[in-house]
């Protein structure tokens, strides 16, 4: 029984190590893409699986480089994109202690190395186009063209397009980087931590960030036992206001009533003035006749 228990514990430990090794091979790249969805916009991530900086599991003394985070505006309107939250595991002292030994560096690149279309390609799905075949007639001549659709029972899975990062040639200037954060992962969400906010992001614009993580030699715990997701959340909002068309004055009943009343009042005033002028003229004519008769 003891031997069986010992073997079982060994197997569990091996599975944990294998799981830790798999978790350590998370994505090197991840993009958050703002896309049109009807009348509104939606932010999608590609790939869906977390990147290595969102599932930190680096053993003591080791370092991981080459992480690329991209923010993409693939919509047709300008927008503001912001890092809204990094969900650190507050309340779990063991995990926070590990994240305190884990240093993370985030730097913004001067220019992007991939286009918005390339990055958003895995998020767009197109229906298969029907194939056109020509059915021969009895005399061997070509008949009418008929459209045949692909059999839905047949599974045709094309590999998703990969986002390639071109390397700079010898003639190109190296891409400069601006350091945004360099410190313990456990303090990245503090007031003086990582801040990413892009205002007035133009359609088709891409921003890139290079991420590096390293665990110091002083950490003595088992990394596979403290691995936990640390999601990064990004949000996008429109950067301009749409001014609604001004309604016509006649569409407001109150304004229409007031305008009609004012018009009627003007008509009455004009009529009164005309009547008074006519009466005054008649009165003057009457006085002139009486004066001539008196003479």
């Amino acid at each position: 029984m003891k031997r069986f228990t010992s073997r079982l514990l060994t197997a569990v430990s091996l599975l944990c190590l294998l799981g830790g090794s798999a978790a350590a091979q998370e994505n090197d790249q991840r993009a958050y893409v703002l896309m049109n969805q009807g009348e509104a916009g939606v932010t999608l991530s590609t790939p869906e699986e977390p990147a290595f900086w969102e599932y930190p599991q680096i053993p003591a003394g080791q370092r991981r480089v080459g992480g690329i985070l991209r923010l993409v505006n693939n919509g047709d309107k300008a927008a503001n994109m912001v890092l809204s939250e990094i969900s650190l595991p507050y309340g779990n002292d063991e995990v926070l202690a590990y994240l305190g030994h884990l240093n993370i560096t985030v730097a913004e690149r001067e220019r992007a190395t991939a286009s918005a279309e390339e990055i958003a390609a895995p998020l767009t799905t197109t229906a298969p186009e029907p194939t056109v075949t020509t059915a021969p007639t009895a005399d061997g001549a070509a008949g009418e063209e008929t459209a045949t659709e692909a059999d839905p029972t047949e599974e045709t899975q094309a590999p998703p397009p990969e986002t390639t990062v071109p390397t700079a040639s010898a003639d190109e200037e190296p891409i400069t980087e601006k350091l945004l954060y360099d410190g313990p992962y456990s303090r990245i969400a503090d007031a003086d931590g990582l801040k990413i906010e892009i205002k007035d992001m133009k359609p088709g614009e891409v921003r890139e960030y290079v991420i590096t993580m390293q665990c110091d030699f002083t950490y003595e715990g088992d990394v596979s036992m403290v691995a936990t997701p640390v999601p990064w959340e990004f949000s996008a909002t429109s950067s301009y206001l749409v001014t609604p068309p001004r309604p016509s004055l006649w569409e407001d009943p109150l304004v229409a009533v007031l305008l009609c009343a004012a018009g009627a009042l003007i008509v009455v005033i004009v009529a009164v003035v005309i009547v008074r002028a006519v009466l005054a003229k008649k009165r003057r004519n009457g006085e002139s006749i009486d004066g001539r008769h008196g003479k």
Side-chain angles (χ1 to χ4, degrees):
M1 186 63 182
K2 292 182 179 180
R3 181 177 298 177
F4 174 77
T5 304
S6 176
R7 290 180 178 178
L8 180 61
L9 292 175
T10 302
V12 171
S13 301
L14 180 60
L15 289 175
C16 290
L17 290 175
L18 292 176
S21 176
Q25 299 301 319
E26 296 294 336
N27 298 312
D28 290 331
Q29 303 182 20
R30 200 173 190 203
Y32 294 84
V33 185
L34 177 62
M35 304 184 67
N36 294 333
Q37 192 175 74
E39 296 294 332
V42 60
T43 303
L44 303 176
S45 60
T46 177
E48 294 184 358
E49 296 77 14
F52 70 83
W53 60 85
E54 295 176 294
Y55 199 92
Q57 192 177 7
I58 299 178
Q62 294 191 17
R63 186 168 182 253
R64 187 158 182 179
V65 300
I68 299 179
L69 166 67
R70 292 185 174 95
L71 302 183
V72 184
N73 183 3
N74 198 50
D76 56 3
K77 299 178 181 178
N80 300 329
M81 296 194 72
V82 61
L83 173 61
S84 55
E85 184 179 5
I86 297 180
S87 301
L88 291 172
Y90 296 114
N92 192 329
D93 296 338
E94 188 177 3
V95 177
L96 287 177
Y98 165 67
L99 296 179
H101 288 272
L102 189 63
N103 190 86
I104 181 171
T105 301
V106 181
E108 182 179 8
R109 281 183 168 175
E110 180 187 20
R111 64 179 184 274
T113 59
S115 66
E117 291 77 9
E118 293 172 342
I119 300 169
L123 298 174
T124 57
T125 56
T126 56
E129 296 182 357
T131 57
V132 179
T133 58
T134 304
T137 59
D139 56 358
E144 297 180 354
E145 294 183 349
T146 58
T148 59
E149 296 183 356
D151 188 357
T153 59
E154 297 181 358
E155 296 183 358
T156 57
Q157 185 176 3
E162 298 182 355
T163 303
T164 58
V165 181
T167 57
S169 62
D171 298 334
E172 294 181 352
E173 296 182 359
I175 300 176
T176 60
E177 299 174 358
K178 176 184 177 182
L179 184 63
L180 300 182
Y181 181 79
D182 184 9
Y185 202 136
S186 59
R187 302 183 63 85
I188 194 172
D190 291 354
D192 56 347
L194 177 62
K195 306 295 181 185
I196 297 179
E197 182 176 3
I198 308 172
K199 295 183 179 180
D200 195 22
M201 195 175 187
K202 302 297 186 297
E205 187 175 352
V206 180
R207 296 293 184 93
E208 284 187 359
Y209 304 87
V210 181
I211 299 178
T212 302
M213 294 200 309
Q214 181 175 358
C215 185
D216 59 43
F217 290 94
T218 60
Y219 182 70
E220 299 178 353
D222 186 355
V223 176
S224 63
M225 302 302 294
V226 294
T228 185
V230 184
W232 292 30
E233 297 181 8
F234 291 86
S235 60
T237 56
S238 176
S239 62
Y240 64 93
L241 297 176
V242 178
T243 304
R246 299 180 62 180
S248 174
L249 293 177
W250 294 102
E251 295 179 1
D252 190 344
L254 180 59
V255 174
V257 170
L258 293 176
L259 290 177
C260 291
L265 181 60
I266 293 174
V267 171
V268 170
I269 293 174
V270 171
V272 170
V273 171
I274 294 174
V275 170
R276 292 186 64 181
V278 171
L279 292 176
K281 185 177 181 180
K282 287 183 177 180
R283 189 180 297 113
R284 288 195 300 270
N285 290 338
E287 291 177 355
S288 299
I289 295 174
D290 293 341
R292 286 198 299 269
H293 287 175
K295 293 181 178 178

